[in-house]
Amino acid sequence: MDEETVSKYVKRSQSLVESSPQMDEQNTRARLIDPFIRDVLGWDFYSTSIEMEYSVQMGSSKKKVDYALFSDGSPAVFVEAKGCDTSMSESHVDQLRSYMRQEWVDWGLLTNGKSFLVFRLKKDGGKPDVELLRRIKLTDLTASDWLLAALSKESIKSGESSDIYQRVERRRQAI
């Protein structure tokens, strides 16, 4: 992932959002979120590293997370998508958090194409907790390269995403 790729994605996406601010979830996924996962984060839709509508067992019922990004046969990132026409609410955040806790998935992304909320599973102690690392506006994606790097396929596969998280966590604790 390079800055030019992110900049091109941001410009193209801003134009799409401005021309169609009431885009529903299906169109938001096709026009904004799929290209973000593919072009910016480097995940391949033509492989087994992405599963759409991944089933998560929640009690006696099954729920579906929009995207599960896999590393070594296990989900490493869950992406929950909303339409541009939807303001992300606390219930959307709780939905993603519960999926991540249930499956012990390290990273989570909640997005409506205009805003990106990045989460990390903390496995300290007996009960996992999910913390919000950053809320990023579409226009600020280029300034959040460390977070994009952490969610990239290359970083997840190599284990570098954990190193990035540790550096950020040390910096946050120092502050």
Side-chain angles (χ1 to χ4, degrees):
M1 168 202 32
D2 59 77
E3 193 173 320
E4 183 180 336
T5 301
V6 177
S7 292
K8 282 172 60 175
Y9 169 79
V10 168
K11 285 178 188 165
R12 187 180 141 294
S13 297
Q14 280 181 293
S15 174
L16 286 166
V17 168
E18 287 167 9
S19 66
S20 185
Q22 294 302 313
M23 207 181 315
D24 65 9
E25 183 177 324
Q26 183 176 357
N27 285 301
T28 300
R29 287 173 68 166
R31 295 178 186 153
L32 302 174
I33 300 170
D34 289 1
F36 177 76
I37 293 170
R38 182 188 61 237
D39 302 336
V40 176
L41 301 181
W43 292 86
D44 182 5
F45 277 85
Y46 299 105
S47 72
T48 56
S49 64
I50 296 180
E51 188 170 324
M52 310 284 282
E53 301 299 324
Y54 180 77
S55 291
V56 177
Q57 188 70 42
M58 302 293 291
S60 61
S61 65
K62 286 191 180 203
K63 303 288 184 179
K64 302 232 182 226
V65 65
D66 294 316
Y67 305 81
L69 311 180
F70 283 78
S71 177
D72 298 326
S74 298
V77 182
F78 277 165
V79 180
E80 189 60 30
K82 303 300 173 198
C84 281
D85 62 351
T86 304
S87 295
M88 292 187 290
S89 68
E90 201 56 40
S91 68
H92 298 132
V93 169
D94 290 343
Q95 176 186 21
L96 179 59
R97 281 185 166 137
S98 65
Y99 294 159
M100 290 174 67
R101 278 190 209 106
Q102 185 66 25
E103 297 285 320
W104 284 70
V105 171
D106 288 332
W107 294 95
L109 175 65
L110 173 63
T111 183
N112 62 2
K114 298 185 292 188
S115 186
F116 299 77
L117 282 69
V118 180
F119 297 87
R120 175 73 179 181
L121 181 72
K122 294 179 88 168
K123 300 174 185 173
D124 303 337
K127 188 176 178 186
D129 188 29
V130 178
E131 72 173 321
L132 173 64
L133 293 182
R134 177 78 45 99
R135 180 183 299 260
I136 309 164
K137 292 179 184 172
L138 174 62
T139 54
D140 296 333
L141 276 178
T142 51
S144 299
D145 57 340
W146 64 271
L147 249 178
L148 300 179
L151 295 174
S152 73
K153 181 178 181 178
E154 182 180 305
S155 190
I156 296 284
K157 294 268 185 203
S158 71
E160 186 183 347
S161 62
S162 293
D163 296 339
I164 292 168
Y165 172 72
Q166 295 299 329
R167 286 193 302 269
V168 169
E169 194 58 24
R170 280 193 301 272
R171 205 174 307 142
R172 283 176 17 153
Q173 288 176 358
I175 292 170

